[in-house]
Amino acid sequence: MTKGSEKNVPLPQWGDLLIEMQSRLLNHLEKEITPNKRKKFEEVLESRTRYIVPVLENLYQVHNASAVARTVEGFGLQEMHVIEEDNPYTISRDVTRGANRWIDIVRWNSPGEKNLYKCLQSLRKRGYRILATSPEKEDFALDQLPLDKPMVFLFGNEEPGLTREAFDYSDGSVKIPMPGFTDSLNISVSAGIILHTATAQVRSSSVYWKLTPDDKRKVRYTWLKRRLKGFAELEREFWSQQQ
């Protein structure tokens, strides 16, 4: 190759190099899982979304809180936030059946802080519309949700429901139509109905609801880190080979 032709060879960009190294690391790690599991990773990642994010405010019933995590994972949502002002969020393994290992659970529990406000502000900055769930108020019909923005759904305890602050910080509310005498549902049931209805609308719409390629790589890495025994050693082995 002459000097003149060398000038026409594009130099790799730092972003491209980083993506290549991330991909090589993931390939190295995924050699430790079966081909079927690797295929399952790809299938699930393709249907994962952050377009809908549930936020749980101060749930104190362990089984209900855990059941919501299982619902979130089962419907293909990747992210869930929990506000722990008074009640710590505890996982019941018998209920989640490992579902919590596959999703990102973000806890807000800083002492003396307005954790609900900080959580919702962070999500609003990411472009989310904040929707409170209520057995009474309805600003948006559940079967006709506005899909122009990603959505956050706020869920509270069954009896007291959401706090006044939750409604004040929200952009509107939704409710489950209930023509019977009963006017409220168990929190895990409510979350199941609302999240199923919302995800069905989003997935059948024209909005881009999938994870970005960069997010997919990060999620794959997290899954492998949580699943593989000896993960740290495998990662060190990879980087030592790059010296």
Side-chain angles (χ1 to χ4, degrees):
M1 182 181 290
T2 65
K3 281 191 175 182
S5 62
E6 287 177 359
K7 294 180 181 179
N8 297 323
V9 177
L11 293 174
Q13 300 298 308
W14 280 113
D16 296 333
L17 290 172
L18 179 59
I19 290 171
E20 181 184 351
M21 292 303 294
Q22 289 173 338
S23 298
R24 288 168 59 185
L25 171 60
L26 289 170
N27 288 335
H28 174 79
L29 296 171
E30 286 180 339
K31 291 177 182 178
E32 301 301 315
I33 62 177
T34 65
N36 284 341
K37 177 60 71 174
R38 186 168 184 169
K39 180 181 178 183
K40 186 64 176 179
F41 272 25
E42 295 299 329
E43 291 173 352
V44 174
L45 277 171
E46 191 60 25
S47 64
R48 270 299 202 255
T49 185
R50 294 188 195 271
Y51 208 81
I52 296 171
V53 172
V55 174
L56 312 184
E57 186 189 29
N58 258 337
L59 298 195
Y60 59 82
Q61 297 152 317
V62 174
H63 280 68
N64 281 339
S66 298
V68 175
R70 187 171 174 179
T71 296
V72 167
E73 199 288 318
F75 289 161
L77 309 184
Q78 184 56 37
E79 183 175 342
M80 181 175 85
H81 293 244
V82 292
I83 312 300
E84 301 175 290
E85 294 287 8
D86 303 310
N87 306 306
Y89 181 71
T90 305
I91 293 292
S92 170
R93 294 182 179 180
D94 291 339
V95 177
T96 61
R97 301 291 183 88
N100 55 296
R101 296 184 303 169
W102 304 109
I103 61 176
D104 302 328
I105 299 178
V106 184
R107 298 170 181 265
W108 298 82
N109 53 18
S110 298
E113 298 285 345
K114 293 183 177 180
N115 290 297
L116 177 64
Y117 175 76
K118 291 176 65 177
C119 168
L120 298 184
Q121 280 297 93
S122 72
L123 289 165
R124 185 171 276 116
K125 288 179 180 178
R126 289 167 56 186
Y128 285 89
R129 176 179 282 118
I130 313 297
L131 299 176
T133 60
S134 168
E136 300 172 354
K137 298 178 62 178
E138 182 183 59
D139 298 308
F140 300 98
L142 184 57
D143 61 349
Q144 296 179 359
L145 293 168
L147 306 180
D148 56 310
K149 290 183 177 182
M151 294 171 283
V152 163
F153 289 99
L154 290 171
F155 296 97
N157 282 304
E158 181 177 348
E159 188 173 338
L162 291 167
T163 61
R164 181 71 262 168
E165 288 79 7
F167 286 102
D168 290 342
Y169 297 153
S170 69
D171 300 311
S173 59
V174 297
K175 71 175 184 178
I176 299 171
M178 297 185 65
F181 290 109
T182 302
D183 62 0
S184 65
L185 295 169
N186 177 287
I187 174 60
S188 61
V189 175
S190 297
I193 292 171
I194 290 174
L195 296 178
H196 179 270
T197 304
T199 53
Q201 292 177 64
V202 168
R203 292 179 190 279
S204 63
S205 74
S206 60
V207 302
Y208 189 81
W209 51 265
K210 298 187 176 186
L211 301 183
T212 64
D214 182 55
D215 202 2
K216 285 182 181 179
R217 286 190 296 273
K218 291 177 181 177
V219 171
R220 282 171 65 193
Y221 176 85
T222 301
W223 288 353
L224 290 164
K225 186 175 183 179
R226 292 173 181 169
R227 183 172 179 82
L228 287 179
K229 293 182 179 179
F231 173 88
E233 182 59 35
L234 289 168
E235 189 172 33
R236 281 195 295 269
E237 177 185 282
F238 171 80
W239 289 116
S240 67
Q241 294 172 0
Q242 310 310 307
Q243 301 297 325

